[in-house]
Amino acid sequence: MTGFVGALVEAWGELRIHRLRVLLSLIGVAVAVAAMTGVTALGDITRQAQAELSEAQSGRPATFRVDAWSETATLDATATTAAFREFVDRYQIEQASLVTYSTMPVRMPMATWDVTVQAVDPPYGTMHRIAPIHGSWFTEADADRFSPALVVNEAFLRELGVADLSGHPTVLIGAGEPVLATVTGVVADLWPGAYPEAYILSSAYERWIPPNPEYFTVPALEVWVPPEDAEVAEEYLNRDLTAALGAGAQVQIYRQDAFGIEEFDRVFQLVVTGIGVLVLMLGALSLVNISLVTVRQRIREIGIRRSFGASSGRIFFSIMMESLVATVLAGVVGVGIAVVAVRNAPIESLIGWGAIQDVPPFPVSAAVTGLVAATAIGALAGLLPALVAVRVKPIDAIRY
Amino acid sequence: MSLLELRGITRTVRLPDDSRLDILRGVDLSVGAGEHISIVGRSGTGKSTLLNILGLLDAPTDGEYLLDGTPIGRLGNRRRARRRGDDFGFVFQQFNLLPGRTALENVIAPLLYARGRTFWRRHSIAASMLERMGLGDRLESKPEQLSGGEQQRVAIARALVRTPRVILADEPTGALDVDTGAEIMSMLDEIASDTGAVLIAITHDLAVAARATRHFRLGEGVLTPITIAPRTSGTLAELGDPLTATDVVDPEAVPALAEVEAGPA
Ligand SMILES: Nc1ncnc2c1ncn2[C@@H]1O[C@H](COP(=O)(O)OP(=O)(O)OP(=O)(O)O)[C@@H](O)[C@H]1O
Ligand SMILES: [Mg+2]
């Protein structure tokens, strides 16, 4: 215990004495660690943000979308809906949702808007990572309401003229005989200046909204399955639904999550990490060089410490510690620089498209990588001088 | 039982041209607790070598060294290092202070190898030791800012801070003027007596040597007891010293030495 603390105190004292030289060589280590950590973090963050953005829009891996249509006749929406529901029940797919796009008049206080409304099932929220900023997403219980519930975007809420959901805002929707719908959730706009949009539950849509003859739509089906089941799912979807919808119906299935498009920044990250490793190596070399020089100058000093009762193990440990304490400090500084730099980096322009609501936090793994690299370099740089110091015989050190 | 005992210690080194140099050829010495010993001898006779062997910094080529009755040769490196730190304090001719570090840091340095309370209270222990050496107001001075005498006092504080049982001083006054040297030696003597430590001092200065309770001369690789009359000054050379002029070992054969030994035994 005292041995360990003693060695630490000693190492710290040595670093203070040689601070200028140590500082110079550590700048390299700190810069390299900052570069490596920063790039790793940026890569992680952008990839994460990209993944979230594309998942929000296209679904998580593996999401399939099934569209049905007929070339000869108009497809029966009710029959199609039934076929989709039956498929989901048969295979007990938990994450599945009908998706029906429609446009319907909405009586806002100032004017009536034609609003794009998506009729979906409750799992759609999980499948597209929908996180309402007010209220909540649909649950199964919403199907039993006496009026349709709506999850709207911020633009919709603004147009309604309310700030939040505390007053349980309602709005008339639908052509012909409009129904009074209640807004129960609000999601963020996908981009600034978005038009009002809304989600409604499929069941409510079927029950309350009279079919619009000018705007006839057939639902699509989205299913989210584990990526390893993707092939089987695709095959079953095709086989079962083609059979269920009968001759004349076309079934098109495509995978819509963004898989395989994240590779371009990997190369960039590899190159910069490579450069970081190189800089780190150079920093380490100069560190080795400096510690070797100082150890040679310190042979007498080592001898004096021997006379205090320093064993060769203790000498080894002290010199090693010096190097470790120094590079770990440099590593902490480097990681700190990286954190600050990444905080202030223009993440959105790096991703190149879209707006992300909250930038993911600094990845811990990147910070850990940086510190581990710094520690490893310290150990490596300390090894050689420590071995040299241990090989000095006490007597030669004193006589030196 | 004596604290230190050397039996037939030899030390041989191999020179770069592959010849052998016998520095010590069979040294016998037995030192009891509290004794003050002085060793004189001409330059290059192996005084420092002997002191380093005593302080476990060097190992004899042959012979037996008993510390507290324990044969040191059988101790491993670790234990030997520990005993060196626990039992010995070194004072060197060139002070050997750690450069760049303050007086206080220098005196703390050996305490970093201590254990328990001594380790944790190292600051106050070191500070009071320096105060005792009259350096209470120079704690933060670096060696470069201290005079030779002050540096040697720091070195003595450092050697004594762990209250060693044996103080080994290798020409402690060699780099100081006569008065400062005398002052330093009385401090060393006094503290050694206070703590009951053994003091083994190597010197060229007969006045310094005379302060000890027992005197030896190292020549031709062996240690011979001699008698030195108490005196306030005098070097071996000043006596027309055969010790420095030749390698004469036998005191009887040297008339000049007889005069040295004519004092009270
Ligand atoms: N490791 C070594 N290798 C070669 N020669 C050595 C070694 N150690 C000591 N010597 C030689 O042994 C002799 C004795 O050295 P030592 O330092 O013990 O003498 P000394 O009596 O202390 O001399 P001085 O009074 O000048 O300090 C010298 O000639 C020295 O050169
Ligand atoms: Mg010497």
Side-chain angles (χ1 to χ4, degrees), chain B residues 186-197:
Chain B
S186 22
M187 279 183 153
L188 206 48
D189 268 337
E190 191 186 312
I191 296 189
S193 305
D194 283 358
T195 59

Side-chain angles (χ1 to χ4, degrees), chain B residues 7 11 14 47 50 99 117-118 160 172 200 204 212 223 232:
Chain B
R7 291 183 193 151
R11 180 73 172 103
R14 199 163 277 286
K47 301 182 297 295
L50 176 60
R117 270 172 65 82
T118 320
L160 298 178
I200 302 180
H204 278 126
L223 205 57
T232 51

